[in-house]
Amino acid sequence: TWVASKLITPLTNNSFSCTGFFEINGKIYAADGQRFAYSTNQGVAWTSVQYFHQHMLPIRQGTGGIGLGSAKNLAVTQDDGINWKNFGFPTEFTNFTPRDIAFDAGNNAYITGSGGPVMKFTGNLIVPANQLPPVINFGWQNLNGPNSASLYKIIRTITGQLYAGNSGALYRYIAA
């Protein structure tokens, strides 16, 4: 049997499923839009980091990290908020806000969000801290698909297929 116990966190809004809630490298992460918090001891104690965002995404590339999505930007940290690397999106999608991310076997990133299509990034979102540039505003490529749809979730299957969806539709992406 399972027994649930409520965890006490430094977060003010309990809508974790909307802004982010996941585990990477043995740490539990939760976010409320104003900050994110992480626990290294199964939720007994939490460390809070102030950083405004709309969605928190797990970056399962290299040593791992987190991404905080807001309009026109994905900020990535691999050291729990000490250093950040910012990734802008193509200018024609002025209100694109990242919602979900998946990676393929070649470490390419595929991202969904509101206000734009599924986009692909070829490169490393996670790099050694001494190589972190302040801002990178290139690298995301549109995939053929609906450009006006707001796609909120994306998965990559073990066979390499990409699926993206929202509340009204589900799309399968096939490599051309």
Side-chain angles (χ1 to χ4, degrees), residues 148-169:
S148 61
S150 291
L151 299 169
Y152 300 130
K153 297 299 284 180
I154 188 166
I155 62 169
R156 179 187 167 270
T157 66
I158 59 172
T159 61
Q161 291 283 239
L162 286 175
Y163 295 87
N166 58 23
S167 59

mmCIF file of all heavy atoms in Angstrom, residues 148-169:
data_model
loop_
_atom_site.group_PDB
_atom_site.id
_atom_site.type_symbol
_atom_site.label_atom_id
_atom_site.label_comp_id
_atom_site.label_asym_id
_atom_site.label_seq_id
_atom_site.Cartn_x
_atom_site.Cartn_y
_atom_site.Cartn_z
ATOM 1 N N SER A 148 0.260 27.786 -36.314
ATOM 2 C CA SER A 148 -0.564 28.636 -35.462
ATOM 3 C C SER A 148 -1.084 27.905 -34.232
ATOM 4 O O SER A 148 -1.689 28.505 -33.377
ATOM 5 C CB SER A 148 -1.739 29.184 -36.271
ATOM 6 O OG SER A 148 -2.538 28.103 -36.741
ATOM 7 N N ALA A 149 -0.836 26.615 -34.163
ATOM 8 C CA ALA A 149 -1.348 25.843 -33.027
ATOM 9 C C ALA A 149 -0.500 26.091 -31.789
ATOM 10 O O ALA A 149 0.689 26.343 -31.877
ATOM 11 C CB ALA A 149 -1.334 24.348 -33.357
ATOM 12 N N SER A 150 -1.121 26.036 -30.651
ATOM 13 C CA SER A 150 -0.396 26.047 -29.385
ATOM 14 C C SER A 150 -0.301 24.598 -28.934
ATOM 15 O O SER A 150 -1.293 23.995 -28.540
ATOM 16 C CB SER A 150 -1.141 26.881 -28.343
ATOM 17 O OG SER A 150 -1.099 28.243 -28.692
ATOM 18 N N LEU A 151 0.888 24.040 -29.035
ATOM 19 C CA LEU A 151 1.108 22.641 -28.660
ATOM 20 C C LEU A 151 1.786 22.615 -27.301
ATOM 21 O O LEU A 151 2.837 23.224 -27.115
ATOM 22 C CB LEU A 151 1.956 21.942 -29.725
ATOM 23 C CG LEU A 151 1.312 21.926 -31.115
ATOM 24 C CD1 LEU A 151 2.297 21.462 -32.160
ATOM 25 C CD2 LEU A 151 0.076 21.049 -31.106
ATOM 26 N N TYR A 152 1.185 21.906 -26.343
ATOM 27 C CA TYR A 152 1.631 21.999 -24.956
ATOM 28 C C TYR A 152 2.473 20.831 -24.474
ATOM 29 O O TYR A 152 3.205 20.958 -23.510
ATOM 30 C CB TYR A 152 0.423 22.155 -24.037
ATOM 31 C CG TYR A 152 -0.382 23.396 -24.339
ATOM 32 C CD1 TYR A 152 -1.745 23.341 -24.508
ATOM 33 C CD2 TYR A 152 0.250 24.630 -24.497
ATOM 34 C CE1 TYR A 152 -2.478 24.489 -24.794
ATOM 35 C CE2 TYR A 152 -0.469 25.771 -24.784
ATOM 36 C CZ TYR A 152 -1.828 25.693 -24.922
ATOM 37 O OH TYR A 152 -2.536 26.820 -25.214
ATOM 38 N N LYS A 153 2.385 19.700 -25.103
ATOM 39 C CA LYS A 153 3.141 18.527 -24.656
ATOM 40 C C LYS A 153 3.836 17.896 -25.849
ATOM 41 O O LYS A 153 3.320 17.920 -26.961
ATOM 42 C CB LYS A 153 2.222 17.477 -24.006
ATOM 43 C CG LYS A 153 1.514 17.940 -22.749
ATOM 44 C CD LYS A 153 2.452 18.337 -21.638
ATOM 45 C CE LYS A 153 3.058 17.151 -20.952
ATOM 46 N NZ LYS A 153 3.977 17.479 -19.879
ATOM 47 N N ILE A 154 5.008 17.302 -25.592
ATOM 48 C CA ILE A 154 5.739 16.601 -26.644
ATOM 49 C C ILE A 154 6.402 15.385 -26.020
ATOM 50 O O ILE A 154 6.859 15.429 -24.877
ATOM 51 C CB ILE A 154 6.776 17.510 -27.347
ATOM 52 C CG1 ILE A 154 7.371 16.800 -28.577
ATOM 53 C CG2 ILE A 154 7.845 17.977 -26.384
ATOM 54 C CD1 ILE A 154 8.139 17.721 -29.504
ATOM 55 N N ILE A 155 6.391 14.269 -26.766
ATOM 56 C CA ILE A 155 7.099 13.064 -26.319
ATOM 57 C C ILE A 155 7.881 12.504 -27.498
ATOM 58 O O ILE A 155 7.541 12.717 -28.651
ATOM 59 C CB ILE A 155 6.149 11.982 -25.758
ATOM 60 C CG1 ILE A 155 5.173 11.495 -26.832
ATOM 61 C CG2 ILE A 155 5.435 12.469 -24.512
ATOM 62 C CD1 ILE A 155 4.400 10.255 -26.438
ATOM 63 N N ARG A 156 8.941 11.803 -27.175
ATOM 64 C CA ARG A 156 9.708 11.040 -28.149
ATOM 65 C C ARG A 156 9.661 9.597 -27.693
ATOM 66 O O ARG A 156 9.996 9.294 -26.554
ATOM 67 C CB ARG A 156 11.153 11.518 -28.213
ATOM 68 C CG ARG A 156 11.975 10.724 -29.211
ATOM 69 C CD ARG A 156 13.440 11.109 -29.136
ATOM 70 N NE ARG A 156 14.222 10.146 -29.862
ATOM 71 C CZ ARG A 156 14.753 9.043 -29.336
ATOM 72 N NH1 ARG A 156 14.582 8.770 -28.069
ATOM 73 N NH2 ARG A 156 15.456 8.222 -30.073
ATOM 74 N N THR A 157 9.229 8.706 -28.570
ATOM 75 C CA THR A 157 9.118 7.300 -28.204
ATOM 76 C C THR A 157 10.485 6.624 -28.316
ATOM 77 O O THR A 157 11.423 7.186 -28.896
ATOM 78 C CB THR A 157 8.119 6.566 -29.115
ATOM 79 O OG1 THR A 157 8.652 6.547 -30.442
ATOM 80 C CG2 THR A 157 6.754 7.226 -29.090
ATOM 81 N N ILE A 158 10.606 5.408 -27.802
ATOM 82 C CA ILE A 158 11.872 4.691 -27.887
ATOM 83 C C ILE A 158 12.232 4.351 -29.326
ATOM 84 O O ILE A 158 13.386 4.097 -29.633
ATOM 85 C CB ILE A 158 11.880 3.414 -27.014
ATOM 86 C CG1 ILE A 158 10.775 2.457 -27.435
ATOM 87 C CG2 ILE A 158 11.768 3.766 -25.554
ATOM 88 C CD1 ILE A 158 10.836 1.104 -26.755
ATOM 89 N N THR A 159 11.250 4.390 -30.233
ATOM 90 C CA THR A 159 11.526 4.144 -31.655
ATOM 91 C C THR A 159 11.882 5.425 -32.399
ATOM 92 O O THR A 159 12.150 5.387 -33.594
ATOM 93 C CB THR A 159 10.317 3.472 -32.345
ATOM 94 O OG1 THR A 159 9.197 4.348 -32.256
ATOM 95 C CG2 THR A 159 10.018 2.127 -31.713
ATOM 96 N N GLY A 160 11.866 6.580 -31.719
ATOM 97 C CA GLY A 160 12.279 7.832 -32.334
ATOM 98 C C GLY A 160 11.168 8.695 -32.873
ATOM 99 O O GLY A 160 11.434 9.761 -33.418
ATOM 100 N N GLN A 161 9.907 8.296 -32.757
ATOM 101 C CA GLN A 161 8.796 9.103 -33.244
ATOM 102 C C GLN A 161 8.542 10.259 -32.293
ATOM 103 O O GLN A 161 8.684 10.130 -31.083
ATOM 104 C CB GLN A 161 7.520 8.267 -33.345
ATOM 105 C CG GLN A 161 7.564 7.236 -34.442
ATOM 106 C CD GLN A 161 7.339 7.848 -35.806
ATOM 107 O OE1 GLN A 161 6.431 7.499 -36.490
ATOM 108 N NE2 GLN A 161 8.168 8.775 -36.214
ATOM 109 N N LEU A 162 8.149 11.410 -32.853
ATOM 110 C CA LEU A 162 7.748 12.568 -32.066
ATOM 111 C C LEU A 162 6.239 12.723 -32.150
ATOM 112 O O LEU A 162 5.657 12.593 -33.232
ATOM 113 C CB LEU A 162 8.384 13.847 -32.602
ATOM 114 C CG LEU A 162 9.848 14.071 -32.336
ATOM 115 C CD1 LEU A 162 10.321 15.326 -33.049
ATOM 116 C CD2 LEU A 162 10.115 14.172 -30.855
ATOM 117 N N TYR A 163 5.616 13.003 -31.014
ATOM 118 C CA TYR A 163 4.187 13.297 -30.937
ATOM 119 C C TYR A 163 4.024 14.583 -30.145
ATOM 120 O O TYR A 163 4.676 14.767 -29.115
ATOM 121 C CB TYR A 163 3.414 12.176 -30.229
ATOM 122 C CG TYR A 163 3.427 10.874 -30.970
ATOM 123 C CD1 TYR A 163 4.464 9.961 -30.799
ATOM 124 C CD2 TYR A 163 2.399 10.544 -31.839
ATOM 125 C CE1 TYR A 163 4.481 8.753 -31.482
ATOM 126 C CE2 TYR A 163 2.401 9.338 -32.524
ATOM 127 C CZ TYR A 163 3.443 8.451 -32.334
ATOM 128 O OH TYR A 163 3.450 7.255 -33.019
ATOM 129 N N ALA A 164 3.169 15.485 -30.631
ATOM 130 C CA ALA A 164 2.892 16.722 -29.923
ATOM 131 C C ALA A 164 1.390 16.919 -29.884
ATOM 132 O O ALA A 164 0.673 16.493 -30.794
ATOM 133 C CB ALA A 164 3.567 17.908 -30.610
ATOM 134 N N GLY A 165 0.911 17.563 -28.822
ATOM 135 C CA GLY A 165 -0.527 17.733 -28.715
ATOM 136 C C GLY A 165 -0.934 18.916 -27.864
ATOM 137 O O GLY A 165 -0.131 19.523 -27.165
ATOM 138 N N ASN A 166 -2.232 19.205 -27.965
ATOM 139 C CA ASN A 166 -2.869 20.216 -27.136
ATOM 140 C C ASN A 166 -4.236 19.679 -26.746
ATOM 141 O O ASN A 166 -4.505 18.492 -26.917
ATOM 142 C CB ASN A 166 -2.944 21.563 -27.862
ATOM 143 C CG ASN A 166 -3.708 21.484 -29.176
ATOM 144 O OD1 ASN A 166 -4.534 20.595 -29.387
ATOM 145 N ND2 ASN A 166 -3.438 22.421 -30.074
ATOM 146 N N SER A 167 -5.112 20.526 -26.265
ATOM 147 C CA SER A 167 -6.409 20.034 -25.810
ATOM 148 C C SER A 167 -7.319 19.590 -26.949
ATOM 149 O O SER A 167 -8.289 18.899 -26.707
ATOM 150 C CB SER A 167 -7.113 21.112 -24.983
ATOM 151 O OG SER A 167 -7.284 22.274 -25.769
ATOM 152 N N GLY A 168 -7.004 19.957 -28.200
ATOM 153 C CA GLY A 168 -7.896 19.608 -29.289
ATOM 154 C C GLY A 168 -7.333 18.698 -30.341
ATOM 155 O O GLY A 168 -8.070 18.204 -31.205
ATOM 156 N N ALA A 169 -6.023 18.450 -30.344
ATOM 157 C CA ALA A 169 -5.436 17.658 -31.429
ATOM 158 C C ALA A 169 -4.135 16.995 -30.990
ATOM 159 O O ALA A 169 -3.477 17.467 -30.078
ATOM 160 C CB ALA A 169 -5.173 18.546 -32.646
#
